[in-house]
Amino acid sequence: AVGCASCHGKEARGDVGVGPDIRGKTVKDINTQLDTNENMEFLKASLTEEDIAAVAVYLAHLAETTS
């Protein structure tokens, strides 16, 4: 399975050379990217709103605990 870490790195820093740093992104930010970024279209159908909320909580945690 392909997930966020494939493009954004395991700590969401954007350090793998594909996607940007996404630490601290909100549910709104994530939904905007899923709706408008053609590189993320493949994920849209597989994520529920609950999944997206959980990702946002995780990204907030990473923003607080990683530098």
Side-chain angles (χ1 to χ4, degrees):
V2 175
C4 304
S6 300
C7 295
H8 300 282
K10 64 183 179 178
E11 291 184 345
R13 297 173 192 251
D15 56 0
V16 296
V18 180
D21 185 338
I22 57 171
R23 294 173 293 169
K25 296 298 182 187
T26 65
V27 167
K28 181 179 177 181
D29 297 329
I30 296 166
N31 278 320
T32 296
Q33 287 302 308
L34 290 171
D35 290 340
T36 63
N37 184 335
E38 65 184 32
N39 294 321
M40 294 181 61
E41 285 179 1
F42 72 99
L43 285 173
K44 188 174 181 177
S46 65
L47 295 173
T48 65
E49 287 301 315
E50 291 82 17
D51 294 334
I52 294 168
V55 169
V57 168
Y58 179 66
L59 294 176
H61 171 75
L62 288 177
E64 295 173 3
T65 60
T66 62
S67 56

